[in-house]
Amino acid sequence: MRRILSVAAGLGMLALTAACGGGSLPTTLPTDQAGQQPPASSAQPEAVTADPPLAFDTGRGVTLPRTSLQSNLGGSVTSKFMTLRDRTGYIIAPESLSAVDVLTGREKWNIKIEGPAADPNAHNGPFVEQSGPRPPLVTDKLAVGAVPLRMPEQGTTPGYLALAVIAVNPETGAKAWQANTKIADDQYGISGERSVTHVVAATDKAVVASFTQSEGNLTVGLDPATGKQLWERKKFDAGSVNGDLVVGVDSNVAENSSMVQATALDVATGEQKWVAAAKSSAVEILRGDPAMVVLKANEYSSGHAFLKFLDAATGAEKFSVEGTRNLGPDRYGDCLYDEQSVLACTDSGVLTAYDAKAGTKLWSLPDQAANRVPPGGLTVAWHGALYGYTNGRQPIVLDAKTGKDLSTDVGYVPDWVSKYAAAGVDKDGVPKAYPVKK
C-alpha cells in the first residue's frame, strides 16, 4: 500500500520521465500479425535506414527482453530501462547490463553487476515505478549504467547501501570497471522510498552518476578509464552535461532548506562554477543543446512555473517562458529534445517548439488560421522529427523545425527511434522493435 500511495503521489514526476522519451499509446496492429513474430536469429538482415524514419514495418516485429521497459495494464510504457543506439538496445537491470540487436532479438552480451541488488524487483509490476535505475548512457567508448547495491555486513563490520556504476565496452561487452560508492549506513535505507540511480555524463574527463531519494542525493565523478572516484557532492542530483560542466539540482541552499537551485560543477573536479534559479521550490534539468542549460523552475514565493534557457558557461538567463497557471502548485509541461536543434514542449494543450541553441520560439500549435491542432500526445523526438499520435489515436510524425506533418503513414507509435528501428510495446504491452520501412 505504501508503494501504491507513493506511486500516486509521484505521478507528477512521471511526466519528466515521459518527456525524455515518453509513455506511448501503442497503435493496434492488424489481427493477422499477432503472435507471428520471427524467432531471434544471429543472422544479420539487410536493414533499411532513414534519418529520421517516417514509417516502420509492423509486420516484422521482434520481441525484446522484458527488462527493457515496464508497461501498464493498458499497454502503455510507464518506465524505461533501455537506450537505443543504431540497431542496439542497451538495457540496465537491477543485476546486469546487457545489449541486444533490436533487428534480430539476439543478445550481444550480458555483464553481471557484482554485489546483491538493493531493489531486485525494481522492474516488476504494471504500475508507474518511480524507483529503479534509469536507462544507461552510451557513447562510442563506454556503455555505463548505475544501480543501488545492498552490501551485507562482514562480521562486525556493518552493511551499507552503495551506488554501483558499471562501465562496459559497447561493442564487445568487455567490462572496463565497476565502482561502488557508499550512500548510507543503513543497507535497507531505500525500502519503501522513491530512489533513482542514473548516469548523466561519460566524457574523456569523468563519468558522473547520481543516486536520489527523498532523504537526500549524492553525485559522484569517476575516472572514465579506471572508475576511481574523482569527487563527490551530497544534496546534488546531476541533470545534464554541458561541455566541461555538469549541471544539477542542488539542495545546498543556506538561505532556506525548502529551496533548491541549479548549480554547475566542473565535470573533472566537482568545483562549483555558478548558481541559477536560486529562489526555487522545485527545479528540473532537461536534456538539450550543450551550449544551453534548460530547466523548469517553480518560484518559491509565488509557486509559478517557468521554462528557462541559461547560458551554459555563466548560468545567465537567456530566455524564459511562464507556464500556464493552474489550481494548486504550478508545474511547467513536458519537453522533448530532438538531439539536434529543437526542444518541443507541451503545456496545457499548447505545443511549442524552441531553438535549443538560442532559446527562441520556432512555432506553436494550435494554429487556428491554418486549422491545425496539436497532436494528442508526443512520445519521442529524434533528429528533426517529433513522434506521437493524433487526437484520433493514429501515429503521426511532425517536422520539429516547422511543426508541419511529415508522415501520417507511420504504422506505429514509438518510445525509442533510431535510423534502424522503432521500439516500444505492442497492443498487448509486450516490448517490441520494428524495423524502419522508409
Side-chain angles (χ1 to χ4, degrees), residues 82-282:
M82 184 177 78
T83 296
L84 178 61
R85 197 167 192 256
D86 291 335
R87 60 182 290 168
T88 303
Y90 298 87
I91 304 169
I92 185 70
E95 298 165 334
S96 67
L97 179 63
S98 61
V100 60
D101 186 324
V102 299
L103 296 187
T104 65
R106 179 179 62 88
E107 186 175 81
K108 299 175 67 174
W109 47 260
N110 189 311
I111 304 301
K112 182 176 175 56
I113 297 171
E114 298 178 11
D119 194 3
N121 298 315
H123 283 51
N124 297 334
F127 302 104
V128 177
E129 181 54 78
Q130 293 296 320
S131 296
R134 295 300 182 250
L137 181 65
V138 185
T139 69
D140 291 339
K141 297 180 179 180
L142 293 175
V144 191
V147 299
L149 296 182
R150 181 171 291 142
M151 308 304 290
E153 63 181 12
Q154 300 290 332
T156 56
T157 302
Y160 60 94
L161 189 67
L163 168 65
V165 181
I166 183 171
V168 176
N169 182 296
E171 291 300 319
T172 67
K175 183 177 178 180
W177 47 263
Q178 177 178 326
N180 298 340
T181 302
K182 183 178 179 179
I183 301 170
D185 292 330
D186 182 4
Q187 61 176 307
Y188 300 100
I190 68 170
S191 178
E193 300 293 341
R194 187 187 70 82
S195 62
V196 172
T197 52
H198 62 113
V199 181
V200 170
T203 72
D204 290 338
K205 294 185 176 182
V207 169
V208 179
S210 293
F211 172 88
T212 68
Q213 65 176 5
S214 57
E215 286 80 6
N217 307 326
L218 175 71
T219 295
V220 295
L222 307 170
D223 185 286
T226 65
K228 180 181 177 181
Q229 183 171 308
L230 301 174
W231 56 269
E232 74 172 46
R233 185 175 176 111
K234 296 180 179 179
K235 297 184 178 181
F236 182 85
D237 180 19
S240 68
V241 59
N242 300 77
D244 290 334
L245 299 178
V246 58
V247 184
V249 180
D250 188 5
S251 302
N252 294 284
V253 182
E255 181 179 348
N256 189 323
S257 61
S258 298
M259 290 182 180
V260 293
Q261 60 195 15
T263 299
L265 309 178
D266 184 287
V267 72
T269 66
E271 178 186 359
Q272 182 170 309
K273 294 299 184 180
W274 54 255
V275 170
K279 295 184 182 298
S280 299
S281 58

Side-chain angles (χ1 to χ4, degrees), residues 276 307-311 314-321:
L307 177 70
K308 295 179 179 289
F309 292 80
L310 312 178
D311 180 82
T314 65
E317 185 175 304
K318 294 291 188 180
F319 185 73
S320 178
V321 181

Side-chain angles (χ1 to χ4, degrees), residues 27-38 56-61 411 426-427 432 434:
T27 301
T28 300
L29 303 179
T31 55
D32 60 356
Q33 294 173 8
Q36 296 183 11
Q37 312 304 334
F56 306 101
D57 190 345
T58 56
R60 295 173 55 200
D426 67 8
K427 62 183 179 64
K432 290 286 178 64
Y434 299 94

Side-chain angles (χ1 to χ4, degrees), residues 277-335:
K279 295 184 182 298
S280 299
S281 58
V283 171
E284 296 176 8
I285 311 295
L286 306 180
R287 292 183 58 234
D289 188 86
M292 194 79 70
V293 175
V294 185
L295 56 86
K296 296 188 286 187
N298 285 36
E299 286 187 345
Y300 183 81
S301 58
S302 68
H304 295 170
F306 290 85
L307 177 70
K308 295 179 179 289
F309 292 80
L310 312 178
D311 180 82
T314 65
E317 185 175 304
K318 294 291 188 180
F319 185 73
S320 178
V321 181
E322 184 171 5
T324 302
R325 298 183 184 182
N326 303 307
L327 295 176
D330 283 354
R331 182 191 168 280
Y332 197 82
D334 304 327
C335 297

